[in-house]
Amino acid sequence: MLDVLHEGEENPPAISQPDGVTSITHIKGLYPYTAVLEGMDGSFVTTGLIKKEFNKLADPLQASVQDIGIFDASLSAEGNLHLTWGDYPDPSKLTVAPNTTNLGIEVGGKWYDAPNCAVAFDWTWVYGPIRYKAQVSIQDFSIDVTSEQASFDQQIDVKPGDKLNVCGYYAYENMNYRSNEICKEIQVEDKEIQLAVPSDKATKAEIESWANANGVTVSFTEVADEAKKGTNEILSNGTKVNGTTMTFMQSTIGQARFAVTLYVGLSCGSNASIVNGACACNQGFEGDPIKGCTAKPNPTPETTPPTDPSPDTSESPDPTPSEDSQDTNNEEQN
């Protein structure tokens, strides 16, 4: 209609908000208008305009939770946590109100039915139903439990020696309104374990299998010793424990550490063999008997100066004549 009235003309300016009008935020479906609860689902909240003189909000219905009087917790050997609460005193609080109702009325002894009439609001839509709740604390972490029934079972992972603190209470499902709580403490049993240590004849594979089966840690070192070949030595805190039975608690056996020395036969290199419990190069070979020996080089023969096979034993002529022979020769010439 406004479009028709102003056809061909500019739209009139927006109507300014009067000074006597202000905004109001409240819960839908309630009158008097009711203040919004902190943390309330936004789908139940609306904002509108109202005259300042009527801008008053009623206090919301504060949820109340009845006290819990009975709660118990137990843990089976298989790790099943069983919780039980006393039944909530008001069973109607365990369900959420439907969004329709029957507004039928009885008049003059006759019932006039009016089913499926819409319900504008119900506080159970905000708070949710009452639930059976618990917090289970184990060492450094916790588990929150919510149940629609007064008993609950859950498998949990615990270790021997663990201590559980379990606190049960009633609380609304959606908002943080809760009852008092009752706490129970559960100590997980920590049993003694008798650990039979392998003998000094056990193989490496047998020792590894034993360690894995019992959850202990082993470290291996191989030592070449021909005399002890095929044996081992298992140490715990520096003490040999082969063939003994040691006592541990279930909670601490996983911390056990064992040092294992495996004695193996000597492994000589090529051209070497074991002599008197040690590797030695075979005859005619030299070098490192562990890494391998090489043939010794052939000896180089010694050289001697050549000799004359038929030496001249005659006297050599004297090239210089003596004085007597010189005189004799002179006389003969005279």
Side-chain angles (χ1 to χ4, degrees):
M1 182 180 292
L2 291 175
D3 290 341
V4 172
L5 292 174
H6 292 86
E7 186 175 1
E9 300 178 8
E10 291 186 3
N11 291 336
I15 299 174
S16 60
Q17 180 174 314
D19 292 338
V21 175
T22 187
S23 64
I24 184 172
T25 300
H26 60 91
I27 297 175
K28 292 179 183 178
L30 287 181
Y31 189 83
Y33 299 134
T34 304
V36 176
L37 288 164
E38 183 179 354
M40 189 175 179
D41 188 330
S43 63
F44 299 113
V45 179
T46 188
T47 298
L49 297 175
I50 192 172
K51 289 184 70 175
K52 286 183 178 180
E53 61 188 280
F54 299 117
N55 188 9
K56 299 176 182 178
L57 292 171
D59 291 333
L61 175 67
Q62 294 297 323
S64 61
V65 183
Q66 297 191 45
D67 286 345
I68 185 171
I70 300 174
F71 175 72
D72 197 16
S74 61
L75 183 69
S76 71
E78 293 75 27
N80 180 67
L81 180 65
H82 180 66
L83 307 178
T84 55
W85 298 260
D87 290 333
Y88 192 71
D90 184 356
S92 68
K93 297 293 185 180
L94 299 175
T95 56
V96 175
N99 55 11
T100 62
T101 189
N102 193 324
L103 295 180
I105 188 172
E106 185 177 355
V107 179
K110 184 177 180 181
W111 176 258
Y112 294 89
D113 200 28
N116 300 321
C117 295
V119 177
F121 180 81
D122 192 278
W123 280 106
T124 63
W125 300 351
V126 177
Y127 295 117
I130 289 289
R131 290 292 181 247
Y132 301 98
K133 296 196 173 189
Q135 185 176 64
V136 184
S137 300
I138 310 171
Q139 303 301 97
D140 297 329
F141 68 96
S142 62
I143 302 170
D144 291 319
V145 173
T146 299
S147 174
E148 297 182 10
Q149 308 299 324
S151 65
F152 179 84
D153 289 274
Q154 180 172 325
Q155 196 73 20
I156 61 175
D157 184 19
V158 293
K159 300 185 295 296
D162 278 351
K163 183 182 292 184
L164 283 70
N165 190 51
V166 187
C167 296
Y169 55 95
Y170 304 132
Y172 282 103
E173 187 173 64
N174 298 338
M175 306 279 288
N176 189 29
Y177 293 94
R178 54 190 288 176
S179 71
N180 63 311
E181 62 182 23
I182 297 175
C183 296
K184 301 290 184 178
E185 188 176 278
I186 301 174
Q187 181 70 49
V188 181
E189 186 179 6
D190 194 4
K191 297 179 180 179
E192 283 189 352
I193 294 178
Q194 303 299 314
L195 181 66
V197 183
S199 73
D200 59 3
K201 302 296 183 183
T203 64
K204 181 179 181 180
E206 291 171 339
I207 296 173
E208 287 177 329
S209 177
W210 164 80
N212 292 334
N214 292 283
V216 299
T217 301
V218 293
S219 58
F220 292 95
T221 301
E222 289 190 356
V223 174
D225 190 323
E226 193 65 24
K228 295 182 179 181
K229 178 181 177 181
T231 66
N232 72 78
E233 190 175 76
I234 301 177
L235 301 181
S236 174
N237 295 323
T239 302
K240 183 177 179 180
V241 292
N242 292 79
T244 66
T245 298
M246 304 180 69
T247 301
F248 292 92
M249 301 304 293
Q250 282 182 304
S251 59
T252 60
I253 191 170
Q255 302 169 16
R257 303 286 187 271
F258 295 90
V260 182
T261 299
L262 299 174
Y263 293 103
V264 297
L266 294 175
S267 179
C268 301
S270 58
N271 302 312
S273 55
I274 299 172
V275 178
N276 296 327
C279 290
C281 291
N282 296 336
Q283 187 174 4
F285 292 85
E286 63 183 2
D288 187 337
I290 301 299
K291 296 180 179 179
C293 301
T294 57
K296 292 181 180 180
N298 292 326
T300 302
E302 295 183 3
T303 58
T304 58
T307 57
D308 188 352
S310 56
D312 186 4
T313 57
S314 60
E315 294 182 2
S316 298
D318 187 356
T320 306
S322 63
E323 292 183 0
D324 291 346
S325 61
Q326 185 69 36
D327 292 342
T328 304
N329 290 333
N330 290 335
E331 290 176 356
E332 289 179 354
Q333 291 177 0
N334 293 326

